[in-house]
Amino acid sequence: KNTFYECENLTKLPQVEDFEDDYNVDFLENIKELNYTFAKTGISEIDSNLFYKAENLEVMEYTFEGCKNLKFIQNETLFKKCINLKEFLHVFENTALEKIPYNLFETNKNLTDVSGAFSSTNITSIPEQLFENNKNKIQYKFYIYLQTFSNQKKKNCYEKP
């Protein structure tokens, strides 16, 4: 929890393979929660293999929140191995994300709550098939801040109980 929180000078994460080789650990293999881990850092991209051993991960909360340089999720299979992920709360809130890959949660069949996951970003639309493979009823409410108005107005653009 809070491992790199507010490390604004952290602009790039190490390659997972290098980290494992250097420190002889299986990165994220036994982790169940990632809360505020990289929040408010200066990272602009996420290693596509960051979560490749995170099969036990169940909760992500504010994990990348406030990463103002993070504009894109380069790999739509970023969370592919997170098969036990249940809660994905405010993970990308207050980032510069512009788009959500339509199959980002393709293998995350156990998700139950993704509230605020993309709040206060530059995203203007939510892919209809984003939760297509999910077996649970998901609680989520996404808000998009419309930048076209002088005082930002919150628009409820996608809601499902």
Side-chain angles (χ1 to χ4, degrees), residues 2-58:
N2 301 335
T3 310
F4 300 103
Y5 182 70
E6 292 186 342
C7 291
E8 294 174 1
N9 292 329
L10 179 63
T11 58
K12 186 173 182 182
L13 300 176
Q15 295 291 324
V16 172
E17 296 86 4
D18 295 340
F19 186 82
E20 289 182 339
D21 290 345
D22 291 348
Y23 297 100
N24 196 26
V25 294
D26 287 326
F27 190 67
L28 299 180
E29 187 172 22
N30 296 309
I31 302 294
K32 290 192 181 245
E33 293 187 17
L34 282 177
N35 301 327
Y36 295 90
T37 310
F38 303 106
K40 298 185 180 182
T41 61
I43 63 169
S44 58
E45 62 183 76
I46 303 168
D47 178 9
S48 61
N49 291 321
L50 183 62
F51 301 105
Y52 85 109
K53 288 190 177 179
E55 292 179 6
N56 294 312
L57 187 60
E58 295 177 1

Side-chain angles (χ1 to χ4, degrees), residues 23-144:
Y23 297 100
N24 196 26
V25 294
D26 287 326
F27 190 67
L28 299 180
E29 187 172 22
N30 296 309
I31 302 294
K32 290 192 181 245
E33 293 187 17
L34 282 177
N35 301 327
Y36 295 90
T37 310
F38 303 106
K40 298 185 180 182
T41 61
I43 63 169
S44 58
E45 62 183 76
I46 303 168
D47 178 9
S48 61
N49 291 321
L50 183 62
F51 301 105
Y52 85 109
K53 288 190 177 179
E55 292 179 6
N56 294 312
L57 187 60
E58 295 177 1
V59 177
M60 292 180 76
E61 190 171 348
Y62 295 95
T63 311
F64 297 100
E65 185 271 330
C67 293
K68 301 288 187 186
N69 299 325
L70 189 58
K71 290 183 178 184
F72 303 102
I73 299 172
Q74 289 88 349
N75 187 341
E76 65 273 358
T77 60
L78 183 63
F79 304 111
K80 181 179 181 175
K81 298 289 185 170
C82 303
I83 56 174
N84 291 304
L85 191 60
K86 295 176 185 157
E87 296 179 12
F88 194 83
L89 309 172
H90 306 274
V91 174
F92 292 109
E93 184 175 304
N94 293 316
T95 63
L97 278 184
E98 297 175 358
K99 182 180 174 187
I100 305 171
Y102 77 92
N103 55 350
L104 185 65
F105 300 116
E106 187 172 45
T107 60
N108 309 116
K109 300 176 191 306
N110 295 312
L111 277 175
T112 56
D113 195 350
V114 293
S115 296
F118 304 99
S119 296
S120 302
T121 63
N122 294 324
I123 293 169
T124 57
S125 66
I126 311 288
E128 283 184 38
Q129 63 274 47
L130 188 61
F131 302 108
E132 195 171 78
N133 295 325
N134 195 278
K135 65 182 180 184
N136 296 311
K137 218 177 192 179
I138 298 179
Q139 290 184 355
Y140 52 96
K141 191 180 277 189
F142 293 127
Y143 292 101
I144 293 177

